[in-house]
């Protein structure tokens, strides 16, 4: 019985890994009129849980949080700042708000020629297309 559970656990892990890889490699459709931004933090700040930047449900400090912001963020080209916040799109493809001072234009330090384009994956979630 113990061997069965171990085999089932391994099989489950492999299946999850295959589906995770498949969703990562899903075709993506560029999200027109959106551009990539990134968190305005150092790597050390990103690793410090006390400095986590959260999405908000509305453009103010007292609005409920909608999860932590990812390191790369999709923002509309026509986004207007409201109360110090910018509307963005989260991983679930829902509008959220992020402090304007917490983000900056996307630039890959290791490869400044790398370009980023927000996109929608086949499963309807936000993704990004990175290219030269």
């Amino acid at each position: 019985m113990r061997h069965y559970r171990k085999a089932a656990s391994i099989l489950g892990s492999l299946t999850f890994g295959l589906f995770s890889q498949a969703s990562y490699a899903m075709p993506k459709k560029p999200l027109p009129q959106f551009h990539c931004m990134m968190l305005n933090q150092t790597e050390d700040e990103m690793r410090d849980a006390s400095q986590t930047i959260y999405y908000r449900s509305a453009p103010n400090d007292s609005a409920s949080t909608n999860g932590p912001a990812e390191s790369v963020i999709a923002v509309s080209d026509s986004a207007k700042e409201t109360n110090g916040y910018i509307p963005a799109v989260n991983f679930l493809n829902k509008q959220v708000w992020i402090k304007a001072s917490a983000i900056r234009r996307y630039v890959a330090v290791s490869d400044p020629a790398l370009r980023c384009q927000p996109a929608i994956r086949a499963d309807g979630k936000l993704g990004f297309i990175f290219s030269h």
Side-chain angles (χ1 to χ4, degrees):
M1 187 66 150
R2 194 168 40 155
H3 295 294
Y4 172 77
R5 287 187 186 142
K6 186 174 183 180
S9 175
I10 291 170
L11 182 60
S13 295
L14 289 172
T15 303
F16 176 76
L18 288 173
F19 283 116
S20 296
Q21 289 299 321
S23 67
Y24 179 75
M26 283 182 182
K28 299 173 187 112
K29 181 180 173 192
L31 197 53
Q33 279 100 35
F34 277 78
H35 61 277
C36 295
M37 301 287 285
M38 61 191 287
L39 293 180
N40 191 17
Q41 290 184 309
T42 66
E43 287 183 34
D44 287 338
E45 289 171 329
M46 285 187 210
R47 284 191 290 266
D48 182 351
S50 70
Q51 296 191 46
T52 301
I53 296 171
Y54 291 93
Y55 289 126
R56 299 279 178 178
S57 60
N60 62 64
D61 294 339
S62 62
S64 62
T65 59
N66 281 9
E70 298 87 10
S71 57
V72 180
I73 297 137
V75 175
S76 170
D77 294 344
S78 61
K80 301 285 187 233
E81 190 173 322
T82 304
N83 297 330
Y85 283 81
I86 295 284
V89 176
N90 69 6
F91 176 70
L92 297 174
N93 195 18
K94 305 289 184 201
Q95 182 179 309
V96 290
W97 294 85
I98 188 165
K99 252 193 195 300
S101 62
I103 58 176
R104 60 185 166 106
R105 189 60 102 163
Y106 178 85
V107 176
V109 176
S110 61
D111 186 357
L114 187 67
R115 299 289 169 247
C116 174
Q117 172 64 53
I120 300 299
R121 300 182 334 188
D123 64 1
K125 294 184 175 132
L126 179 68
F128 297 95
I129 298 169
F130 296 95
S131 62
H132 282 99

